[in-house]
């Protein structure tokens, strides 16, 4: 600091006070004692200001440094230590700024940082050139805005970065892609990869959310390894990531890199003492081949990912136009399904379960059908799985029950008031306590719940370990029966079956078809028969279509009941009304409480009961 600083604050404050006094009262000067008091007061006020205040001249010499500024610039107050000033980079920077700003005569405001690491502070400094008397001076004041800046940074982080993984969110990667799309010159080829962690919900349910969160962090780290500065990885939702690779040379280059990433993910993650395995289904789109906007590229990558998800999982697929057509068709079916549920355009067909020795009808199974916009009946294979995936199956199941109860008088008249009524429940529903509780309540409200049998596939018993302990008692409490549907093609776990308290087992039609010609199937059938007999469960043979199959079951097994086209196709209630046309056989519908002379109505290719 120059020798001018040594007279701080007496010389400068005296000059300022003298000039101020001349302006305020040029003809009425204050007594000397009052001037001294005013100068001392001004000195104390400047020294005590919380803002860091400095005054420099046009040579960069400090004339005033108050206490806050001295602490901020790490110099003694009043600037008496001239040797310290020359060694302080902050002082030298302030002097250079003063000279430059006074040369231009313009004010300026800037943010300044001081300190390192955890001690870093942020200051907002305002510089204002002033002219007092004949001197050009730079008045500077700094406010500590560290806390405000920390809040702003936190808000920015929350707005643009994922809390869990620290990765940029969707809006950030979208802006990066848009910047590439809007860049001038030749198109810069890049790739967008959509990665969805497979079975993440099951991992969360089994290990807990803490492990699930740790897994997502681990996946983010593995995906982010060795990325270039021009690449970007983003977490766009719970278990979904978006990867931008820029630039790229060829499709094969991208395919090789994505394959490398997926193999890296398949190595086990060690979390809280558990060895957790994970994989990700991935779809990839390329610019400009597969879209010229971020939304188009992301949607096409999502479409390719969905193709993998519904097939093999854990693999990758490159988008193509055939996928786009499939996606449009799927969207059309989805919209039609939603509208059909809204319009209640579902109906039921009923197929009897028949005593193969007495021809008496033991019960019926309600099979849901959809009437499309043209009134054409669609089998459930076209919409049930989609309804499960979209979360519409619960409402659909309640609609089936409502349809049954609406026609219960006609059902009783046709099949007998003692015939049981079976309703299918998807495995996903069977493991949902809230749905099953509401469904049990609805069954109880029918006032004949003991007539109903809920049919669930065996994976509901095995995969949903709480079905037996928590959900089954709900149904037993209202008197509802339980049937294991499609037995033999699912888990078929003997240890799980030992704990099941179902009422009947429905043997899948794959074991019944041509049973008289297949010795191995005959052996399996005998084993199932012994198992069901030991567990006290009634056996129902599904998909019975020919006389030869019936004859074998009658002669070689203890099976009493069967269901299939040999006895009857699924029939709509409208067909049972007096005005309905006769069957193709020329005889009245083979219904009533007893089937006398059954004949097959449909060919085997029609697909059995569903």
């Amino acid at each position: 600091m120059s020798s001018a600083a040594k007279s701080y604050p007496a010389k400068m404050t005296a000059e300022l006070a003298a000039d101020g006094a001349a302006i305020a009262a040029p003809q009425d000067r204050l007594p000397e004692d009052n001037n001294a008091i005013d100068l001392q007061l001004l000195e104390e006020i400047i020294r005590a200001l919380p803002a860091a205040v400095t005054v420099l001249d046009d040579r960069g010499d400090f004339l005033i440094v108050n206490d806050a500024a001295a602490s901020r610039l790490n110099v003694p107050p009043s600037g008496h230590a001239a040797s310290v000033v020359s060694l302080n980079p902050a002082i030298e920077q302030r002097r250079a700024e003063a000279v430059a700003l006074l040369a231009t005569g313009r004010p300026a405001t800037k943010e300044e940082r001081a300190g390192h690491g955890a001690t870093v502070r942020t200051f907002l400094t305002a510089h204002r050139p002033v002219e007092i008397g004949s001197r050009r001076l730079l008045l500077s004041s700094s406010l500590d805005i560290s806390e405000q800046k920390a809040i702003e940074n936190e808000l920015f982080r929350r707005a643009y970065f994922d809390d869990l993984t620290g990765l940029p969110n969707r809006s950030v990667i979208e802006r990066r892609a848009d910047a590439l799309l809007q860049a001038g010159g030749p198109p810069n080829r890049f790739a967008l990869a959509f990665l969805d962690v497979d079975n993440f919900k099951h991992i969360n349910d089994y290990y807990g959310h803490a492990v699930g969160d740790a897994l997502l962090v681990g996946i983010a780290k593995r995906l982010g390894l060795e990325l270039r500065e021009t690449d970007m990885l983003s977490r766009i939702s719970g278990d979904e990531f978006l990867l931008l690779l820029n630039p790229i040379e060829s499709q094969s280059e991208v395919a090789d890199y994505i394959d490398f990433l997926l193999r890296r993910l398949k190595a086990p993650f060690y979390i809280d003492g558990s060895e957790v395995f994970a994989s990700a289904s991935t779809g990839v789109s390329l610019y400009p081949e597969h879209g010229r906007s971020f939304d188009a590229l992301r949607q096409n990558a999502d479409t390719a990912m969905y193709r993998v998800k519904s097939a093999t999982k854990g693999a990758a697929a490159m988008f193509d136009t055939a996928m786009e057509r499939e996606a449009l068709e799927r969207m059309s079916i989805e919209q039609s399904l939603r509208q059909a549920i809204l319009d209640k355009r579902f109906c039921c067909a009923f197929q009897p379960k028949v005593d193969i020795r007495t021809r008496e009808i033991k019960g019926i199974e309600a099979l849901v059908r959809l009437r499309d916009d043209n009134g054409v009946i669609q089998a459930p294979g076209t919409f049930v799985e989609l309804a499960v995936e979209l979360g519409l199956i619960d409402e659909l199941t309640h609609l089936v029950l409502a349809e049954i109860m609406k026609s219960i008088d006609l059902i009783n008249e046709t099949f007998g008031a003692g015939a049981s009524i079976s309703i299918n429940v998807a495995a996903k529903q069977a493991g949902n306590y809230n749905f099953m509780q509401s469904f049990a309540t609805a069954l109880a409200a029918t006032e004949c719940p003991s007539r109903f049998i809920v049919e669930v596939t065996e994976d509901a018993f095995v995969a949903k370990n709480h079905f037996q302990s928590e959900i089954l008692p709900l149904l037993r409490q209202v008197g509802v029966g339980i049937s294991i549907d499609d037995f033999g093609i699912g888990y078929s776990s003997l240890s799980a079956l030992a704990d099941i308290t179902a009422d009947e087992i429905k043997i899948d039609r794959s074991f019944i078809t041509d049973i008289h010609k297949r010795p191995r199937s005959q052996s399996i059938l005998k084993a199932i028969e012994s198992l069901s007999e030991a567990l006290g469960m009634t056996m129902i043979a599904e998909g019975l279509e020919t006389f030869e199959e019936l004859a074998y079951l009658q002669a070689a097994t203890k099976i009493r009941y069967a269901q299939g086209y040999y006895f009857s196709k699924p029939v709509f209630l409208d067909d049972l009304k007096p005005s309905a046309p006769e069957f193709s056989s020329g005889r009245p519908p083979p219904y009533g409480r007893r089937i006398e002379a059954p004949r097959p109505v449909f060919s085997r290719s029609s697909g059995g009961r569903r």
Side-chain angles (χ1 to χ4, degrees):
M1 186 177 291
S2 69
S3 59
K6 295 182 179 181
S7 59
Y8 169 84
K11 179 178 178 182
M12 189 60 204
T13 52
E15 291 178 359
L16 293 174
D19 290 338
I23 294 172
Q27 296 178 350
D28 187 14
R29 301 237 178 227
L30 294 173
E32 288 297 324
D33 290 344
N34 288 342
N35 277 340
I37 293 173
D38 289 344
L39 288 175
Q40 184 179 3
L41 180 62
L42 179 60
E43 175 182 345
E44 293 301 324
I45 290 174
I46 293 175
R47 179 186 290 272
L49 285 174
V53 177
T54 62
V55 177
L56 294 88
D57 62 18
D58 54 4
R59 293 180 300 176
D61 292 331
F62 283 81
L63 305 180
I64 295 179
V65 181
N66 75 346
D67 288 357
S71 176
R72 152 117 164 70
L73 298 172
N74 196 26
V75 297
S78 302
H80 290 164
S83 60
V84 176
V85 172
S86 62
L87 299 176
N88 191 326
I91 293 293
E92 295 304 318
Q93 181 180 357
R94 178 63 61 85
R95 297 177 70 177
E97 289 173 348
V99 173
L101 289 172
L102 287 173
T104 63
R106 292 194 297 268
T109 302
K110 61 179 293 188
E111 286 186 7
E112 298 175 333
R113 293 167 64 86
H116 302 281
T119 63
V120 69
R121 309 294 295 175
T122 304
F123 296 88
L124 182 64
T125 301
H127 300 289
R128 182 179 180 184
V130 296
E131 189 169 339
I132 299 179
S134 60
R135 305 189 66 174
R136 294 169 55 241
L137 308 172
L138 183 69
L139 175 63
S140 303
S141 62
S142 298
L143 291 175
D144 189 338
I145 60 169
S146 300
E147 292 185 6
Q148 176 184 340
K149 199 67 181 175
I151 293 173
E152 289 178 358
N153 290 339
E154 178 64 15
L155 292 175
F156 178 85
R157 186 188 65 79
R158 291 186 180 184
Y160 295 106
F161 290 86
D162 173 48
D163 278 344
L164 180 63
T165 63
L167 294 176
N169 62 17
R170 172 176 170 161
S171 63
V172 177
I173 198 169
E174 181 175 358
R175 290 183 183 184
R176 173 70 67 83
D178 285 342
L180 293 175
L181 293 170
Q182 295 167 10
N188 188 31
R189 295 189 71 197
F190 65 87
L192 207 59
F194 194 115
L195 299 97
D196 184 281
V197 181
D198 298 319
N199 302 318
F200 183 69
K201 183 180 184 303
H202 296 300
I203 293 173
N204 253 345
D205 291 343
Y206 184 80
Y207 292 102
H209 289 276
V211 172
D213 287 348
L215 176 63
L216 290 175
V217 173
I219 289 173
K221 288 180 179 178
R222 289 192 188 180
L223 292 176
L225 288 175
E226 302 173 12
L227 289 181
R228 301 167 296 184
E229 290 186 2
T230 53
D231 300 330
M232 177 176 285
L233 176 65
S234 169
R235 183 185 177 211
I236 61 174
S237 72
D239 59 352
E240 295 177 336
F241 296 84
L242 206 57
L243 175 62
L244 182 135
L245 299 174
N246 169 60
I248 60 171
E249 295 295 333
S250 65
Q251 177 173 321
S252 60
E253 172 200 13
V254 175
D256 289 343
Y257 182 72
I258 295 298
D259 181 65
F260 166 73
L261 282 184
L262 297 185
R263 282 187 280 111
R264 174 186 283 171
L265 286 184
K266 290 179 180 178
F269 293 83
Y270 296 95
I271 304 171
D272 291 343
S274 298
E275 191 177 41
V276 183
F277 291 87
S279 64
S281 297
T282 305
V284 183
S285 61
L286 307 178
Y287 172 79
E289 295 96 317
H290 302 147
R292 294 182 174 271
S293 70
F294 173 81
D295 284 340
L297 291 166
R298 187 204 60 79
Q299 180 61 49
N300 289 338
D302 188 11
T303 299
M305 183 277 297
Y306 180 80
R307 165 73 73 84
V308 175
K309 201 81 168 176
S310 59
T312 58
K313 294 187 179 181
M318 195 73 63
F319 175 79
D320 60 42
T321 54
M323 294 179 184
E324 185 174 21
R325 288 193 300 271
E326 290 177 7
L328 291 175
E329 291 173 1
R330 171 185 161 84
M331 181 60 68
S332 176
I333 295 173
E334 177 180 332
Q335 294 303 315
S336 297
L337 179 59
R338 292 184 185 277
Q339 190 63 48
I341 289 179
L342 187 64
D343 296 341
K344 294 181 170 56
R345 284 193 279 105
F346 289 92
C347 55
C348 288
F350 297 92
Q351 190 173 37
K353 301 175 183 178
V354 180
D355 186 320
I356 62 175
R357 290 171 172 79
T358 67
R359 312 284 193 205
E360 292 180 355
I361 295 177
K362 175 184 185 293
I364 56 173
E365 180 180 1
L367 305 170
V368 65
R369 298 291 187 264
L370 168 65
R371 297 184 190 272
D372 65 16
D373 297 336
N374 300 316
V376 177
I377 301 296
Q378 295 185 12
T382 61
F383 63 84
V384 166
E385 288 187 7
L386 184 59
V388 172
E389 181 181 335
L390 297 176
L392 302 174
I393 192 65
D394 293 354
E395 186 175 358
L396 181 56
T397 304
H398 279 289
L399 286 175
V400 170
L401 179 59
E403 180 74 13
I404 292 170
M405 296 312 300
K406 186 173 66 175
S407 306
I408 192 66
D409 290 338
L410 184 55
I411 290 173
N412 290 341
E413 180 183 344
T414 305
F415 302 108
S420 64
I421 305 172
S422 296
I423 300 179
N424 286 279
V425 170
K428 184 175 182 180
Q429 294 175 287
N432 183 336
Y433 183 86
N434 291 333
F435 166 75
M436 293 305 293
Q437 186 177 44
S438 69
F439 192 52
T441 301
L443 288 168
T446 64
E447 298 182 358
C448 55
S450 60
R451 288 190 63 183
F452 286 94
I453 295 177
V454 171
E455 293 193 7
V456 293
T457 53
E458 50 190 306
D459 53 342
F461 292 89
V462 179
K464 309 292 183 182
N465 53 16
H466 61 288
F467 178 85
Q468 181 77 12
S469 60
E470 299 176 19
I471 295 172
L472 193 56
L474 290 175
L475 302 174
R476 294 302 190 191
Q477 188 175 2
V478 297
V480 175
I482 304 296
S483 175
I484 305 175
D485 196 13
D486 298 333
F487 182 81
I489 61 172
Y491 288 90
S492 298
S493 169
L494 295 180
S495 62
L497 287 175
D499 295 327
I500 293 175
T501 55
D503 300 293
E504 67 178 29
I505 290 180
K506 300 186 73 175
I507 304 168
D508 187 75
R509 67 183 304 271
S510 61
F511 294 103
I512 304 302
T513 301
D514 291 334
I515 184 66
H516 56 291
K517 300 179 182 178
R518 299 160 61 199
R520 292 181 65 85
S521 292
Q522 294 170 12
S523 299
I524 294 174
L525 191 59
K526 287 184 181 297
I528 297 174
E529 181 180 299
S530 298
L531 177 64
S532 63
E533 188 175 14
L535 296 176
M537 290 185 268
T538 301
M539 292 182 67
I540 310 287
E542 294 188 277
L544 183 68
E545 295 186 352
T546 68
F547 174 77
E548 290 78 11
E549 293 167 355
L550 173 63
Y552 178 83
L553 295 181
Q554 290 175 327
T557 74
K558 296 180 182 179
I559 294 175
R560 287 293 303 271
Y561 303 100
Q563 177 182 346
Y565 282 8
Y566 179 80
F567 294 116
S568 172
K569 65 177 182 179
V571 175
F572 297 95
L573 291 175
D574 287 344
D575 295 336
L576 303 178
K577 295 176 181 178
S579 60
E582 294 182 347
F583 280 79
S584 59
S585 63
R587 296 179 290 108
Y591 287 109
R593 304 167 197 274
R594 183 183 180 92
I595 294 182
E596 299 297 342
R599 287 183 57 186
V601 179
F602 283 71
S603 66
R604 181 171 300 162
S605 62
S606 57
R609 69 183 183 86
R610 284 193 173 83

